Amino acid sequence: MTRGTIQNRDAFLQTIAERLGRSPRLSGISRPQWDNAPQWTVFAGYSQDDLLAALRQQCTLIHTDYIETTSAELADVLKRQVSAYGGGPVIVPNDPRFAEYGLSLLLQEEWPAAQTDVHVWNPALGRQNIDAAEQANVGIAFSDITLAESGTVVLFSRNGQGRAIHFLPKTYIAIVPKSTIVPRMTQAAALIHEQIEQGVLVPSCINFITGPSNSADIEMNLVVGVHGPMKAAYIIVTDR
């Protein structure tokens, strides 16, 4: 992906400035320093273990299965959870973390040998990836940032990871490295902003997913599993 160009920026800013009754301000602008910033005080001073405990508690409120494990046990835990959700087909992104966390054998040999179909997202296949996601029983992906306050996993879309992986399968499993857990949306936004400031090209789509799909549109009665994955699990890798 290449960085885009801004079209007609000066004319746009000039129009806004005229409506405000002043000249355009293109320099000397500083971010205001607010006297109160409550968004930063939620879980302030929490250790990573404290954040983990908060995430664990929140998962009970968002109807999400919560499992803790280690890198060494991750493959076995993942295999059991997929089985608990009814087995394959499985769809995963093309993500090097699957190899880093010792899951290559499971994806490439064990599941195929057990007749469990595994589709790895391949941008060269185009629409076939979406078809595979529609047919998948389980979508699996790694959380890039995890919000303890709301029990939300943040996932960056990229060439090897289309957003359909998170929304079209019947069930969903997020692998959550403990190190990705932050207090809340505030820290996630700050991390993304920092990447932009450093010149990193951030994804065009960033998904914030909080447990299985649900709705309370009718009489405020919560219904889980209505327009996306019917069940969701977070597998926390406590030593990563």
Side-chain angles (χ1 to χ4, degrees):
M1 183 182 296
T2 59
R3 186 178 296 277
T5 58
I6 301 174
Q7 304 291 335
N8 302 314
R9 177 176 60 180
D10 293 341
F12 177 77
L13 294 176
Q14 179 65 41
T15 299
I16 293 176
E18 289 176 357
R19 296 294 189 274
L20 294 173
R22 59 170 174 78
S23 300
R25 298 175 183 173
L26 303 178
S27 62
I29 306 298
S30 59
R31 187 182 300 275
Q33 297 296 316
W34 306 107
D35 292 333
N36 297 297
Q39 70 272 22
W40 291 102
T41 62
V42 177
F43 297 159
Y46 272 38
S47 68
Q48 209 65 17
D49 285 335
D50 294 333
L51 292 175
L52 182 65
L55 175 65
R56 184 188 307 118
Q57 174 61 29
Q58 184 62 23
C59 282
T60 65
L61 303 177
I62 61 171
H63 308 280
T64 298
D65 295 321
Y66 177 95
I67 306 108
E68 290 183 13
T69 188
T70 62
S71 299
E73 300 295 328
L74 177 59
D76 287 336
V77 169
L78 181 60
K79 185 162 54 175
R80 286 197 298 270
Q81 191 59 36
V82 168
S83 178
Y85 279 171
V90 171
I91 185 170
V92 299
N94 186 358
D95 189 329
R97 286 175 290 187
F98 283 98
E100 293 169 11
Y101 282 67
L103 299 175
S104 296
L105 184 65
L106 175 62
L107 294 175
Q108 298 171 12
E109 298 184 25
E110 290 187 33
W111 271 337
Q115 306 303 310
T116 298
D117 182 63
V118 178
H119 179 87
V120 179
W121 190 279
N122 180 354
L125 297 179
R127 175 74 199 189
Q128 293 180 43
N129 294 295
I130 299 175
D131 294 339
E134 289 176 337
Q135 297 164 11
N137 183 53
V138 186
I140 306 170
F142 279 84
S143 176
D144 295 303
I145 309 172
T146 311
L147 315 184
E149 180 188 36
S150 58
T152 301
V153 290
V154 184
L155 305 120
F156 293 175
S157 292
R158 42 190 172 265
N159 261 355
Q161 179 166 293
R163 60 182 180 270
I165 292 174
H166 319 305
F167 302 117
L168 293 184
K170 185 176 179 180
T171 62
Y172 185 73
I173 298 173
I175 301 172
V176 180
K178 182 181 175 182
S179 59
T180 67
I181 304 174
V182 300
R184 67 193 309 269
M185 177 78 75
T186 304
Q187 287 73 24
L191 288 169
I192 295 168
H193 178 74
E194 182 180 341
Q195 290 184 359
I196 295 172
E197 290 292 300
Q198 293 174 353
V200 177
L201 190 61
V202 299
S204 60
C205 179
I206 300 175
N207 298 295
F208 290 77
I209 300 175
T210 306
S213 65
N214 62 82
S215 174
D217 292 341
I218 302 175
E219 304 263 338
M220 294 300 291
N221 292 321
L222 181 65
V223 179
V224 178
V226 291
H227 47 63
M230 299 176 66
K231 296 180 181 179
Y234 296 167
I235 299 179
I236 317 300
V237 185
T238 57
D239 58 347
R240 294 295 292 267

Coordinates of all heavy atoms in Angstrom, one line a residue, residues 11-24:
A11 N -7.4 24.9 -0.4 CA -8.7 25.5 -0.7 C -9.7 25.1 0.4 O -10.5 25.9 0.8 CB -9.2 25.1 -2.1
F12 N -9.6 23.9 0.8 CA -10.5 23.4 1.9 C -10.3 24.2 3.2 O -11.3 24.7 3.8 CB -10.3 21.9 2.1 CG -11.1 21.3 3.2 CD1 -12.4 21.0 3.0 CD2 -10.5 21.0 4.4 CE1 -13.2 20.5 4.0 CE2 -11.3 20.5 5.4 CZ -12.6 20.2 5.2
L13 N -9.0 24.3 3.6 CA -8.7 25.0 4.8 C -9.1 26.5 4.7 O -9.5 27.1 5.7 CB -7.2 24.9 5.1 CG -6.8 23.5 5.5 CD1 -5.3 23.4 5.7 CD2 -7.5 23.0 6.7
Q14 N -8.9 27.1 3.5 CA -9.2 28.5 3.3 C -10.7 28.7 3.5 O -11.2 29.7 4.1 CB -8.8 28.9 1.9 CG -9.2 30.4 1.5 CD -8.4 31.4 2.4 OE1 -7.2 31.2 2.6 NE2 -9.0 32.4 2.8
T15 N -11.5 27.8 3.0 CA -13.0 27.9 3.1 C -13.4 27.9 4.6 O -14.2 28.6 5.1 CB -13.7 26.8 2.4 OG1 -13.4 26.9 1.0 CG2 -15.2 26.8 2.5
I16 N -12.8 26.9 5.4 CA -13.1 26.8 6.8 C -12.7 28.1 7.5 O -13.5 28.6 8.3 CB -12.4 25.6 7.4 CG1 -13.0 24.3 6.8 CG2 -12.5 25.6 8.9 CD1 -12.3 23.1 7.3
A17 N -11.5 28.6 7.2 CA -11.0 29.8 7.8 C -11.9 31.0 7.6 O -12.2 31.8 8.4 CB -9.6 30.1 7.4
E18 N -12.4 31.1 6.3 CA -13.3 32.2 6.0 C -14.6 32.1 6.8 O -15.1 33.2 7.2 CB -13.6 32.2 4.5 CG -12.4 32.6 3.6 CD -12.7 32.5 2.1 OE1 -13.8 32.0 1.8 OE2 -11.8 32.8 1.3
R19 N -15.1 30.9 7.0 CA -16.3 30.8 7.7 C -16.1 31.2 9.2 O -17.0 31.6 9.9 CB -16.8 29.3 7.7 CG -17.2 28.9 6.3 CD -18.5 29.7 5.8 NE -19.0 29.1 4.5 CZ -18.5 29.4 3.3 NH1 -17.5 30.4 3.2 NH2 -19.0 28.9 2.2
L20 N -14.9 31.0 9.7 CA -14.5 31.3 11.1 C -14.1 32.8 11.2 O -13.9 33.3 12.3 CB -13.4 30.5 11.6 CG -13.7 29.0 11.7 CD1 -12.5 28.2 12.1 CD2 -14.8 28.8 12.8
G21 N -14.0 33.5 10.1 CA -13.7 34.9 10.1 C -12.2 35.2 10.4 O -11.9 36.2 11.0
R22 N -11.3 34.4 9.9 CA -9.9 34.6 10.2 C -9.1 34.0 9.1 O -9.6 33.3 8.2 CB -9.5 34.0 11.5 CG -9.7 32.4 11.6 CD -9.1 31.9 12.8 NE -9.4 30.5 13.1 CZ -8.8 29.5 12.4 NH1 -7.9 29.7 11.4 NH2 -9.1 28.2 12.7
S23 N -7.8 34.2 9.1 CA -6.9 33.6 8.1 C -6.6 32.2 8.5 O -6.6 31.8 9.7 CB -5.6 34.4 8.0 OG -5.8 35.8 7.7
P24 N -6.2 31.3 7.5 CA -5.8 29.9 7.8 C -4.6 29.9 8.8 O -3.7 30.7 8.6 CB -5.5 29.3 6.5 CG -6.2 30.2 5.5 CD -6.2 31.6 6.1

